[in-house]
Amino acid sequence: MRSIRWQVAWLALAIATPAGAFELTVRDALTGAPLQARVESDGASYFADGRARAYAIALPARVRVEADAHHAVDVTLVDDGMPTTILLDPLEEPSAYARLAQRALAAPRARWLQGYARDGLDGRAIVGARIEAEGHRATSDASGYFELELDPLDTEDVMTGRTTVHAHADGYADLERDGIARIAGVQRLLLAFGGDAPARGVVELGARDRVDGSVGAVDEAAAPIERASVPPVDAALAPSLVPPATIRVGYADAACTQSCCTGACTHSCVLPLETYVRRGLDSEWIASWNTQSLRAGSVAYRSYGAWRVAHPINANFDICSSACCQVNDAGTAASTDAAIARTPGILLTRNGNEAASAEYSAENNSWDDPADGLSCSNNDLSCGNGFAGTPASGWPCLADAVGAGHGCFGHGRGMSQWGTQRWAVDASARRWPWIVDHYYNDNANANGAGTGQRTAVMTSPLSLSAVTAVPSTTAAGATVQLSAAAHNAAGAAHGHLLIGASLHRSGAGYIDDPAGDVPSSLPTGDTTVARAFHIPAATPSGVYAVLLSLYLDVVENGAIGPGDLPLALVTATAAITIGGTDRIFADGFEASP
């Protein structure tokens, strides 16, 4: 691996194109710090030294951007005339973030704001910036880092108001950020002073603030209805689909902190897809909601963004960053980060080839309460109270008991944001896969509401191949080692997997070893998974197929069960020869290899 050794504060490249200069900036996705970067294109390498340089790169061009201690990205640059900022994920999160996250685990009602103060133009750290909220004050250190402990919540309400942050730095206009959710836990901010960042800004929260309460209402009104061509979800294995590695997001500043509606965006910010989800879920869902609600929301948010990569809103970027599209900003929350880490790379699809446009709105009950003051833009309320849907738009009526009595707030299509929270805290305590399937395919009810647009199924970013058994010839009662090549295309590690395995032979059925279903974590890219398999002493003699599988531990009990999500399966026929007597017990996939 090549070492990159520079001490330049930031990267601003002017790439000469027939249409003029192309301006590119590279920064850290978590801290906003300027990065010393290397840009490679068509065999040529370009280095930054803090000055704008002209390079003879014909656009469009596929380039690789890399920096020390950061994940590299491959990006297609286009000649659109809009300045571009590329955000690279660090290999390790800032130590201050990890430290405070651990502290917060022991204090469920405590509240913190942490983050970095940066110059909006060049990203350098601002030392001595004074940050104030709710009467508490903090000062940024030499790296620009600040940490502000606020008064703990004295209630268990999921939403208890808003907070305003005021910030002052010598030589800059004062900053004010209003509308920050007043919730328990750790919230993170990136404060950009000067440059093109406005002095005052309002932090949008989609489930609370969006004018019509919906994602998909404004920028997707003319989108065609997608037709299902993949099996319904009663087919056990999630279909494989590689998510896009990056997404281009329209922002109003080079620091990628100021959200904007499509026509007001002046910069294109290229983000890894999982970073995009982390910067947005807490801006659409309420971060203090139950983790099952947040996990369900992460799948919808990621899928809608991925759909926009395939269907860009314009030539300059794939999607805007305000409530006109789906909200995305530089703030994150520890609770939503944790939820996203449970679903990396999982999308929805209807056709098996691309992500589904997973629309959602705040409240999807098909009844408009004239007294609530909320905007109901559902053009077909024929489903009635206690049901979600808008048949005129292709979303059939869905029995949604938790919505009964709540006035419509949004277009009524897809997932109900408040519904996800109610199902999570309902006596039935629904987990996130059930919630996702409920709203997007009626839990595989192909004869009822699971028709039309309500036919999207969850996908898997994981794959397995080349399974082997060592030794391949053995006796009943012995233990063998099973392994396979694994690939994780999620763009983030999958840390909550279980490796399952079965042997199969016609006439003998499935033989398993549940005690060997071991936890596993898959880094991004290629790796090997392995586990031991104990062959029961009574196993009949013969030649067996080996099935190796990866399950997402949804139930969180460390054992493969019916509530877990199967994400990958590989079968090797005639992989092992053994002896013994008959015992049939199925673990995993009930399908003949």
Side-chain angles (χ1 to χ4, degrees):
M1 179 177 181
R2 288 171 296 206
S3 175
I4 306 171
R5 302 179 182 276
W6 303 297
Q7 297 181 3
V8 184
W10 66 304
L11 170 62
L13 296 179
I15 301 175
T17 72
F22 186 92
E23 185 179 317
L24 182 67
T25 301
V26 181
R27 297 187 183 179
D28 184 286
L30 297 186
T31 69
L35 297 179
Q36 310 154 33
R38 178 190 191 103
V39 179
E40 296 183 345
S41 175
D42 197 24
S45 297
Y46 305 92
F47 301 92
D49 62 1
R51 293 172 293 162
R53 288 177 176 267
Y55 295 96
I57 300 178
L59 299 183
R62 188 70 173 171
V63 302
R64 183 172 181 81
V65 183
E66 57 183 21
D68 266 347
H70 287 75
H71 295 283
V73 298
D74 296 297
V75 181
T76 298
L77 301 178
V78 297
D79 185 12
D80 56 17
M82 180 171 282
T84 296
T85 299
I86 295 178
L87 300 182
L88 298 184
D89 282 335
L91 298 179
E92 302 288 341
E93 72 172 351
S95 59
Y97 283 9
R99 172 186 52 77
L100 190 55
Q102 286 299 313
R103 184 180 173 190
L105 291 176
R109 292 195 184 181
R111 300 165 57 225
W112 288 272
L113 292 175
Q114 68 175 168
Y116 288 83
R118 299 281 176 193
D119 183 287
L121 282 177
D122 58 25
R124 70 180 183 273
I126 295 181
V127 183
R130 297 186 292 279
I131 295 90
E132 178 180 351
E134 300 177 11
H136 298 270
R137 296 175 179 82
T139 301
S140 61
D141 64 16
S143 67
Y145 176 77
F146 63 87
E147 183 176 308
L148 193 62
E149 184 169 5
L150 305 177
D151 294 335
L153 292 182
D154 56 3
T155 176
E156 294 184 355
D157 289 347
V158 296
M159 189 68 202
T160 56
R162 309 172 187 225
T163 288
T164 300
V165 171
H166 301 273
H168 171 85
D170 292 342
Y172 297 90
D174 288 352
L175 292 184
E176 178 180 296
R177 295 293 178 261
D178 190 21
I180 297 170
R182 189 174 182 272
I183 59 173
V186 181
Q187 293 176 278
R188 295 162 181 161
L189 303 174
L190 178 59
L191 299 177
F193 289 81
D196 41 16
R200 186 181 185 279
V202 177
V203 177
E204 294 179 293
L205 180 52
R208 177 193 67 190
D209 301 331
R210 182 176 281 105
V211 173
D212 70 353
S214 309
V215 159
V218 177
D219 64 333
E220 198 191 340
I225 292 179
E226 300 168 71
R227 302 300 180 187
S229 61
V230 296
V233 294
D234 57 0
L237 186 65
S240 178
L241 186 64
V242 175
T246 59
I247 182 171
R248 300 176 304 155
V249 185
Y251 272 92
D253 65 328
C256 309
T257 65
Q258 297 304 307
S259 301
C260 51
C261 204
T262 304
C265 299
T266 57
H267 289 72
S268 176
C269 295
V270 180
L271 288 70
L273 182 64
E274 292 302 305
T275 300
Y276 171 74
V277 182
R278 288 196 302 272
R279 288 166 57 109
L281 184 60
D282 69 312
S283 300
E284 281 291 351
W285 263 248
I286 294 174
S288 58
W289 278 355
N290 185 279
T291 188
Q292 301 299 327
S293 166
L294 299 179
R295 294 176 194 183
S298 73
V299 176
Y301 191 97
R302 180 185 297 112
S303 189
Y304 186 79
W307 183 83
R308 269 296 174 204
V309 174
H311 303 271
I313 199 167
N314 64 28
N316 297 321
F317 44 82
D318 301 321
I319 191 170
C320 71
S321 52
S322 76
C324 300
C325 300
Q326 59 180 5
V327 186
N328 196 270
D329 58 34
T332 62
S335 59
T336 48
D337 284 355
I340 294 160
R342 286 279 179 173
T343 70
I346 296 176
L347 305 170
L348 288 154
T349 188
R350 293 188 181 90
N351 57 26
N353 299 316
E354 66 176 18
S357 56
E359 297 177 279
Y360 55 87
S361 63
E363 184 63 73
N364 285 9
N365 189 37
S366 291
W367 169 69
D368 188 11
D369 182 354
D372 63 12
L374 299 175
S375 173
C376 178
S377 55
N378 188 340
N379 63 359
D380 183 356
L381 293 174
S382 61
C383 295
N385 194 7
F387 290 83
T390 172
S393 299
W395 289 89
C397 300
L398 170 73
D400 195 35
V402 297
H406 298 279
C408 163
F409 182 22
H411 54 44
R413 305 196 295 268
M415 178 179 279
S416 170
Q417 291 174 274
W418 282 89
T420 66
Q421 169 64 5
R422 296 192 194 104
W423 280 118
V425 301
D426 183 70
S428 59
R430 298 297 188 180
R431 292 188 173 91
W432 65 269
W434 186 96
I435 297 172
V436 172
D437 285 338
H438 171 66
Y439 284 112
Y440 289 111
N441 59 61
D442 192 24
N443 298 106
N445 179 13
N447 297 315
T451 57
Q453 288 289 78
R454 216 179 294 281
T455 50
V457 299
M458 284 185 286
T459 67
S460 171
L462 309 181
S463 60
L464 291 171
S465 61
V467 63
T468 59
V470 178
S472 58
T473 301
T474 189
T479 297
V480 298
Q481 293 294 319
L482 306 179
S483 63
H487 182 74
N488 175 11
H494 252 282
H496 306 280
L497 300 172
L498 296 166
I499 306 175
S502 296
L503 306 183
H504 181 268
R505 183 172 68 88
S506 179
Y510 289 90
I511 300 167
D512 80 336
D513 175 26
D517 294 346
V518 295
S520 179
S521 177
L522 286 190
T524 57
D526 295 319
T527 189
T528 299
V529 295
R531 57 158 288 171
F533 189 96
H534 179 73
I535 303 168
T539 301
S541 299
V543 178
Y544 287 77
V546 172
L547 294 81
L548 202 67
S549 57
L550 291 175
Y551 280 77
L552 188 58
D553 189 10
V554 173
V555 181
E556 302 177 52
N557 63 357
I560 294 175
D564 296 319
L565 188 63
L567 294 180
L569 171 68
V570 61
T571 301
T573 59
I576 188 169
T577 301
I578 57 178
T581 57
D582 198 21
R583 177 179 180 266
I584 301 175
F585 187 86
D587 171 33
F589 297 88
E590 295 297 325
S592 299

